[in-house]
Structures are given as structure tokens and as C-alpha cells.
């Protein structure tokens, strides 16, 4: 995804969108490299600015694009804060030593399962892996009991995924951590034989809804987002949650971190504290992102299956290995 920077209008303007040229740190307030959904980050930025008066400029892009850009920029990065959809991008920046420690008050707002053990980044939201299936083609007793079942030849030509996206690669990262390299490589080779590729999770769901394919591995919020609109791309779709600590029950953590090179440490830390606090987490509860709130005591949208009921496997988000995953997926012919 390409990103550009919007011009700022007025001393209290919130800059979101497009512009021709880079803004100075003084003009921009804090600059957030945002790989989260643009609409969600916009709500966070506007809410934070309204409450604190601190301006926010969002530069929108993708997980891997931004994480690699930050590593390339190093200490010269203009970014103050980095937000992601999935944690492997956070791990890449953390391993490069480019994050400042997150303030203790912010870390205290989020359970340890949703933050880096190092204290260098913290969870801001979460999303669950699901198997979206066409209810006219599959009955409950026909659904795969495990993500690993999709490697069986009986599933050839019957399921879909979007392998080029950071979402699916995070799921494979969890599989790698939980089952090891050999099992992951074997599963990816079988996936190559069995699945149908689409570009984007929403496209996978549309194909399932249209009956082009029986089911697909996606994140949960695509379904709930469509249902909250017209439902036209999900009317024939239901979600199957693998549960039972299965790799297919993986919950991906969306992360936030402050760059060590930021010239606005106080303001950047305040933004991260707001996002993980009541203001930012209430946006998840009351908005239309349908991602899970992760703050202590925070409530998610009531339409979602509660996080505690997902029976997700325990995964160390800080060690999810995006480089190894892309290597394995490339070797399997998926990338």
C-alpha cells in the first residue's frame, strides 16, 4: 500500500490523508506509521487529539512495508509511533533495537499475554483466526476440526486463503512456533496442492459467499464488518472457530510502539497510553472495526465471541518469525 502525507491546516488540525511533500516534526505533531486499518487509526487519532490537543499525522501502509522501512531508516526515521495489524512486524523492529521502552503506566493497562516481554511494544487490539464457510455447501459435522486437517487430500480444491498478506503469514508464524519447522513446511506443501489463492481476506470471504469455494482461512472481523453493512458478501457465510488451543485458533496481536529515535517521546508515549486505555479501547467496543479490545477490563464489541471463549493457543508474539515464514512459503511455491 502506498502512503503519502497530508498537509496540515491550522494549529489544531488533525492530518489524515494525502499531501505532496514531507512535513516537519514541528508541523506534524507526532507522526504515526500506521499499518492498522485506516478508519480505526483515524478514530484513535481524532479521539486522542480531541482529548489532549496533540496533533497526529497518520502515514498509512502495510505491516511488512513499514517494518522494513523503519529498519532501513534507523535513527533517521521521522516516525514517532508504529502501529501494526500483526505482531511479526513489531518483532522485526524490536529485534533491530529501534523501539524505546513503553511507559510502565501503559504496560500496566494491558495483560502480559498481549505485550512484549521486553516492554518495548504493547498490544492495542487483537483478531481471531477463523474458518469462514458457505452454509449451503458445508454442515457443522463436515468442518475441519483443526487447521492441520486442511492438508488432507480430501480438502483439495475446497478451501482458500490469501497467502501474500501479512494476516495469513502471521497465522503461519504461529503454526511454526507451535508445531516446528518440519511440520509447517509439510503443511505448506500440502496447502499448495489443496487451496485456491485469492488476494485479500475480504476477497476470500466473497468467494466463499458466492459458492466459488467451500471455505477459507481469514480473520473474524471481515465477516462482522460486512454483516454490519449490507451483509451482501456474507449472507451465505458462517464462522467456524477451531478452539482447543489449535493453531487455527491463533489470536493475532496488533501492536504499538514508540520509536527510540522519536523527538517527541512524551507525546508519543501519551498516544500509546491513550490507545491502550479506556478511550482507545472504547473505540473498539463501540466502533465498526470489530477487532478485540485487549486492555485490562476492556470490553469488546458484544457481537464478538468473547476472547476467553476462543481457547487460543499460547503463542509468544515477540518471537513470531516473519522472515522464516516467508522463506518457507516461498519454498512451498506460495509466494
Amino acid at each position: 500500500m502506498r502512503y503519502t502525507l497530508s498537509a496540515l491546516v491550522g494549529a489544531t488540525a488533525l492530518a489524515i490523508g494525502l499531501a505532496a511533500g514531507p512535513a516537519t516534526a514541528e508541523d506534524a505533531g507526532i507522526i504515526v506509521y500506521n499499518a492498522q486499518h485506516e478508519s480505526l487509526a483515524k478514530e484513535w487519532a481524532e479521539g486522542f487529539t480531541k482529548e489532549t490537543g496533540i496533533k497526529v499525522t497518520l502515514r498509512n501502509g502495510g505491516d511488512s512495508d513499514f517494518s522494513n522501512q523503519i529498519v532501513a531508516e534507523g535513527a533517521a526515521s521521522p516516525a514517532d509511533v508504529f502501529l501494526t495489524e500483526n505482531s511479526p512486524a513489531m518483532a522485526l523492529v524490536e529485534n533491530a533495537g529501534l523501539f524505546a521502552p513503553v511507559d510502565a503506566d501503559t504496560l500496566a493497562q494491558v495483560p502480559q499475554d498481549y505485550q512484549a516481554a521486553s516492554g518495548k511494544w504493547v498490544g492495542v487490539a487483537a483478531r481471531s483466526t477463523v474458518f469462514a464457510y458457505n452454509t449451503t455447501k458445508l454442515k457443522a459435522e463436515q468442518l475441519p476440526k483443526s487447521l492441520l486437517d486442511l492438508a488432507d487430500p480430501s480438502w483439495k480444491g475446497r478451501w482458500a486463503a490469501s497467502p501474500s498478506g501479512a494476516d495469513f503469514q502471521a497465522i503461519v508464524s504461529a503454526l511454526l512456533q507451535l508445531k516446528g519447522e518440519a511440520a509447517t513446511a509439510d503443511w505448506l506443501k500440502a496447502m499448495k496442492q489443496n487451496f485456491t489463492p485469492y488476494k485479500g481476506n475480504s476477497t476470500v470471504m466473497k468467494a466463499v459467499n458466492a459458492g466459488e469455494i467451500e471455505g477459507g482461512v481469514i480473520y473474524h472481523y471481515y465477516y462482522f464488518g460486512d454483516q454490519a453493512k449490507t451483509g451482501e458478501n456474507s449472507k451465505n457465510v458462517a464462522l467456524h472457530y477451531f478452539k482447543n488451543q489449535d493453531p487455527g485458533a491463533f489470536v493475532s496481536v496488533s501492536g504499538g510502539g514508540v520509536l527510540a529515535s522519536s523527538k517527541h517521546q512524551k507525546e508519543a508515549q501519551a498516544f500509546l497510553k491513550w490507545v491502550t486505555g479506556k478511550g482507545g479501547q472504547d473505540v473498539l467496543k463501540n466502533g465498526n472495526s470489530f477487532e478485540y479490545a485487549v486492555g485490562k477490563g476492556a470490553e469488546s464489541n458484544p457481537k464478538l465471541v468473547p476472547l476467553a471463549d476462543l481457547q487460543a493457543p499460547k503463542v509468544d508474539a515477540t518471537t513470531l518469525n516473519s522472515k522464516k515464514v516467508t522463506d518457507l512459503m516461498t519454498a512451498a511455491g506460495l509466494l
Side-chain angles (χ1 to χ4, degrees):
M1 185 185 300
R2 295 185 179 273
Y3 63 93
T4 50
L5 178 65
S6 67
L8 297 171
V9 181
T12 60
L14 172 68
I16 311 279
L18 306 176
T24 66
E26 182 178 355
D27 290 334
I30 61 170
I31 295 176
V32 177
Y33 278 11
N34 173 52
Q36 249 293 349
H37 290 174
E38 293 184 24
S39 58
L40 173 58
K42 183 175 184 289
E43 284 190 80
W44 278 339
E46 289 177 340
F48 172 72
T49 298
K50 182 178 180 180
E51 188 169 313
T52 67
I54 299 170
K55 297 179 292 183
V56 178
T57 295
L58 295 179
R59 295 185 178 180
N60 298 307
D63 275 3
S64 58
D65 289 341
F66 268 144
S67 58
N68 284 301
Q69 180 176 332
I70 289 170
V71 171
E73 290 171 342
S77 178
D80 298 293
V81 176
F82 181 33
L83 298 178
T84 66
E85 289 191 342
N86 300 285
S87 61
M90 302 302 294
L92 182 66
V93 176
E94 179 186 1
N95 291 337
L98 297 174
F99 279 138
V102 176
D103 283 353
D105 288 350
T106 300
L107 295 175
Q109 296 184 146
V110 179
Q112 290 187 346
D113 286 349
Y114 303 116
Q115 59 178 266
S118 64
K120 292 297 182 72
W121 61 268
V122 66
V124 295
R127 59 274 302 280
S128 173
T129 309
V130 295
F131 185 74
Y133 66 97
N134 185 297
T135 56
T136 70
K137 292 182 173 293
L138 286 174
K139 298 178 180 179
E141 61 269 21
Q142 297 174 303
L143 296 170
K145 291 182 171 56
S146 168
L147 179 74
L148 302 178
D149 291 348
L150 296 174
D152 190 272
S154 64
W155 279 97
K156 184 177 178 64
R158 300 173 59 198
W159 69 283
S162 176
S164 62
D167 287 355
F168 189 79
Q169 290 171 25
I171 296 168
V172 178
S173 293
L175 177 62
L176 175 62
Q177 185 180 122
L178 292 164
K179 297 298 182 181
E181 183 173 340
T184 302
D186 288 345
W187 187 83
L188 290 172
K189 290 175 184 175
M191 173 183 169
K192 173 65 176 177
Q193 297 302 313
N194 286 354
F195 95 122
T196 300
Y198 288 88
K199 188 170 180 59
N201 283 330
S202 59
T203 308
V204 171
M205 188 179 71
K206 288 178 183 178
V208 172
N209 184 66
E212 294 175 16
I213 199 82
E214 292 179 33
V217 176
I218 62 173
Y219 282 147
H220 75 279
Y221 57 83
Y222 290 93
Y223 169 83
F224 288 100
D226 188 71
Q227 285 284 299
K229 296 175 184 175
T230 63
E232 62 183 320
N233 296 313
S234 58
K235 61 183 178 181
N236 299 318
V237 175
L239 301 185
H240 172 51
Y241 295 83
F242 289 103
K243 300 188 175 183
N244 301 309
Q245 290 75 51
D246 188 78
F250 167 62
V251 170
S252 181
V253 179
S254 300
V258 173
L259 277 297
S261 56
S262 169
K263 302 297 192 295
H264 304 89
Q265 289 289 323
K266 181 179 178 181
E267 293 82 1
Q269 293 283 356
F271 177 74
L272 204 54
K273 183 177 181 179
W274 190 90
V275 168
T276 56
K278 179 174 173 51
Q281 296 298 287
D282 277 355
V283 168
L284 295 170
K285 175 187 175 183
N286 301 319
N288 59 5
S289 72
F290 294 100
E291 296 192 49
Y292 283 99
V294 295
K296 289 181 180 177
E299 297 180 0
S300 298
N301 190 295
K303 293 183 179 180
L304 303 183
V305 176
L307 264 177
D309 294 348
L310 295 177
Q311 300 174 17
K314 190 169 181 59
V315 173
D316 183 355
T318 63
T319 61
L320 294 181
N321 192 331
S322 56
K323 174 65 166 60
K324 187 64 178 178
V325 163
T326 55
D327 288 346
L328 288 170
M329 292 181 71
T330 300
L334 295 166
L335 296 177

